[in-house]
C-alpha cells in the first residue's frame, strides 16, 4: 500500500464535553469561515439547549488542520449564548478544502463560498459572486438573456475566482460608483472584466473613475457623463439590478470614449420578440419575428487612441 502523505496531519474524531469556553476559542479562530451566522439557526439551537433536547449524534463540530472551525458554528454560538455544556463529536485535522463540501446545497450560497475563498466582506462577496455567474455563463456561450441563470457550485467557484480575479478594493469602488449612478455594481464589475480582456486596466480606469460624481468635471457629451446621466434618468433614483444591460451600456460608453465619439443616449438591448407590421402589397397586418440585439463587442486597441475625451493622458493601449 502507498505510504500516507506525512505532510497532512491525521484526521480523527472524538466525543468530548464541549463547553462555552471551548466554543469561544473555536469561534475566535473562525477567520477561514466567513459565512455569516444565521440568527434563526442560532436561536433554533438555543431552544434545543435550554429544553435539554440536545443529543450526541454524528453531527457535531469540525476543525481543519489550522484549527479553524469549518462546521458547527451555529451550535457553538448557541452554546456560548446559553452557557450550556454538551457532549458532542468533534472531528479534527480536516483539509481546509472540506469547507466547500459541508452543507453546500443547504445553507451556504455562492457568495458565502466566495467570501470564504477570498476573505472578502460578505456584502462585497455578494457582488463578486453575481459577477462571476454572469462571466461564467458568458464564457459558456450562453446568450446574454441567460447570463444570470443557474447556480454555481463550490467546485466551480474554486476555479472561477482565480480565472476572473477582482480585488476587494475595486469592488468597494464599483459599489460606490454604482450608488452615484444608480447602477449595478455587479454590472460595472462585469463590464470592467470584459473590457480588460482587450485593454489594460489603466485605460479601463479612465472610464470607470470618470463616471458618477466625477463626470461633473466633463463638458459636452463625454461618454462618462452620458453613462452616468442615462443610469440616473432611467433608474429614477433607485440602484438598479439590471446588471447585464448596464454592463453592455458601460461597454458602449467605453467604446465611444476610446474612439473619441459623442453619444447622446445609451439604449438597452432588446430581447427577441414578435412585432405587427403591414404587408406593403396586401395591406394586411402580419406578425414578424425579430432577433435579440447582440451584446456589444469591446472596440479593439488601435495604434493611437483618441485624445478627444482623454486629454492626452499618455497611456498606451495593448500592443
Amino acid at each position: 500500500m502507498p505510504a500516507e502523505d506525512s505532510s497532512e496531519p491525521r484526521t480523527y474524531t472524538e466525543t468530548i464535553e464541549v463547553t462555552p469556553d471551548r466554543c469561544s476559542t473555536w469561534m475566535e479562530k473562525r477567520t477561514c469561515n466567513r459565512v455569516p451566522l444565521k440568527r434563526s439557526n442560532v436561536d433554533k439551537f438555543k431552544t434545543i439547549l435550554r429544553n435539554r433536547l440536545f443529543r450526541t449524534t454524528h453531527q457535531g463540530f469540525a476543525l481543519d488542520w489550522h484549527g479553524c472551525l469549518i462546521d458547527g458554528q451555529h451550535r457553538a454560538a448557541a452554546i456560548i449564548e446559553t452557557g450550556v455544556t454538551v457532549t458532542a463529536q468533534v472531528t479534527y485535522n480536516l483539509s481546509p478544502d472540506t469547507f466547500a463540501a459541508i452543507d453546500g446545497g443547504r445553507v451556504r450560497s455562492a457568495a458565502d463560498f466566495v467570501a470564504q475563498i477570498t476573505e472578502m466582506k460578505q456584502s462585497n462577496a455578494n457582488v463578486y459572486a453575481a459577477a462571476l455567474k454572469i462571466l461564467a455563463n458568458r464564457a459558456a456561450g450562453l446568450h446574454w438573456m441567460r447570463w444570470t441563470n443557474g447556480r454555481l457550485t463550490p467546485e466551480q467557484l474554486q476555479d472561477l475566482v482565480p480565472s476572473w480575479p477582482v480585488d476587494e478594493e475595486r469592488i468597494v469602488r464599483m459599489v460606490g460608483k454604482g450608488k452615484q449612478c444608480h447602477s449595478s455594481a455587479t454590472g460595472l464589475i462585469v463590464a470592467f472584466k470584459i473590457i480588460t480582456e482587450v485593454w489594460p486596466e489603466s485605460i479601463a480606469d479612465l472610464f470607470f473613475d470618470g463616471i458618477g460624481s466625477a463626470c461633473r468635471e466633463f463638458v459636452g457629451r463625454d461618454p462618462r457623463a452620458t453613462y452616468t446621466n442615462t443610469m440616473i434618468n432611467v433608474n429614477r433614483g433607485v440602484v438598479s439590478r439590471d446588471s447585464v444591460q448596464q454592463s453592455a451600456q458601460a461597454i458602449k460608453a467605453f467604446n465611444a470614449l476610446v474612439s473619441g465619439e459623442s453619444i447622446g443616449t445609451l439604449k438597452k438591448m432588446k430581447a427577441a420578440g414578435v412585432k405587427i407590421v403591414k404587408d406593403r402589397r396586401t395591406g394586411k397586418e402580419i406578425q414578424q419575428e425579430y432577433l435579440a440585439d447582440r451584446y456589444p463587442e469591446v472596440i479593439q486597441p488601435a495604434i493611437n487612441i483618441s485624445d478627444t475625451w482623454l486629454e492626452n493622458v499618455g497611456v498606451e493601449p495593448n500592443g
Side-chain angles (χ1 to χ4, degrees):
M1 294 179 62
E4 293 185 1
D5 185 352
S6 59
S7 65
E8 296 184 2
R10 180 179 63 86
T11 300
Y12 66 96
T13 301
E14 63 179 7
T15 303
I16 62 172
E17 284 196 346
V18 178
T19 65
D21 287 343
R22 188 186 295 271
C23 288
S24 295
T25 300
W26 288 343
M27 294 296 277
E28 288 174 2
K29 295 182 177 180
R30 190 173 158 261
T31 55
C32 66
N33 181 352
R34 299 174 69 90
V35 176
L37 291 172
K38 290 193 174 182
R39 176 46 51 181
S40 59
N41 286 357
V42 175
D43 290 343
K44 178 187 72 174
F45 283 116
K46 286 171 66 175
T47 300
I48 291 172
L49 293 170
R50 287 169 175 158
N51 292 331
R52 301 183 181 278
L53 297 175
F54 187 91
R55 298 292 180 267
T56 304
T57 70
H58 66 289
Q59 289 184 305
F61 304 85
L63 292 83
D64 68 14
W65 56 53
H66 301 298
C68 175
L69 184 67
I70 59 176
D71 193 29
Q73 64 223 25
H74 292 94
R75 297 181 184 87
I79 288 170
I80 293 169
E81 293 182 19
T82 59
V84 175
T85 295
V86 302
T87 300
Q89 288 197 3
V90 181
T91 299
Y92 302 89
N93 296 334
L94 286 168
S95 166
D97 294 339
T98 307
F99 176 86
I102 297 173
D103 293 338
R106 181 174 60 86
V107 175
R108 298 182 175 100
S109 66
D112 294 332
F113 287 109
V114 168
Q116 187 267 332
I117 294 167
T118 63
E119 298 189 355
M120 289 183 180
K121 284 181 58 177
Q122 187 68 31
S123 59
N124 297 327
N126 292 341
V127 174
Y128 189 17
L132 286 174
K133 181 163 66 173
I134 291 172
L135 292 167
N137 284 337
R138 169 178 173 264
L142 299 184
H143 192 274
W144 61 263
M145 289 186 293
R146 301 288 181 267
W147 286 0
T148 58
N149 287 9
R151 178 172 179 168
L152 298 175
T153 66
E155 291 74 21
Q156 287 175 308
L157 289 167
Q158 292 282 353
D159 295 330
L160 294 178
V161 168
S163 296
W164 289 293
V166 181
D167 61 56
E168 189 164 17
E169 181 182 355
R170 182 169 296 280
I171 292 176
V172 171
R173 286 166 54 199
M174 293 301 193
V175 169
K177 291 293 182 181
K179 290 178 180 178
Q180 294 170 10
C181 295
H182 303 161
S183 62
S184 161
T186 295
L188 295 178
I189 290 291
V190 169
F192 177 83
K193 296 306 292 182
I194 293 175
I195 289 169
T196 53
E197 291 174 354
V198 180
W199 292 84
E201 290 189 8
S202 57
I203 298 291
D205 284 338
L206 292 171
F207 173 76
F208 289 99
D209 290 349
I211 64 175
S213 58
C215 80
R216 296 170 186 167
E217 301 175 8
F218 309 132
V219 296
R221 291 186 173 182
D222 186 299
R224 291 164 289 195
T226 300
Y227 180 81
T228 300
N229 294 330
T230 299
M231 294 299 101
I232 290 174
N233 293 334
V234 170
N235 297 325
R236 300 183 183 278
V238 179
V239 174
S240 170
R241 294 185 177 182
D242 201 352
S243 301
V244 175
Q245 290 282 3
Q246 289 168 19
S247 69
Q249 290 166 302
I251 289 172
K252 291 177 183 178
F254 173 83
N255 287 343
L257 181 74
V258 295
S259 61
E261 296 178 358
S262 175
I263 51 175
T265 58
L266 287 166
K267 295 181 179 179
K268 286 187 175 183
M269 298 176 293
K270 292 181 181 178
V274 177
K275 61 183 178 180
I276 305 298
V277 297
K278 280 190 176 182
D279 188 305
R280 291 184 178 181
R281 293 174 300 175
T282 65
K284 292 183 178 179
E285 291 186 344
I286 58 173
Q287 290 187 341
Q288 185 179 78
E289 293 185 6
Y290 56 90
L291 299 177
D293 291 340
R294 293 184 62 186
Y295 191 84
E297 298 286 339
V298 177
I299 193 171
Q300 294 293 315
I303 295 176
N304 295 309
I305 62 176
S306 171
D307 62 0
T308 300
W309 309 112
L310 304 184
E311 299 178 351
N312 295 308
V313 292
V315 184
E316 294 296 328
N318 281 344

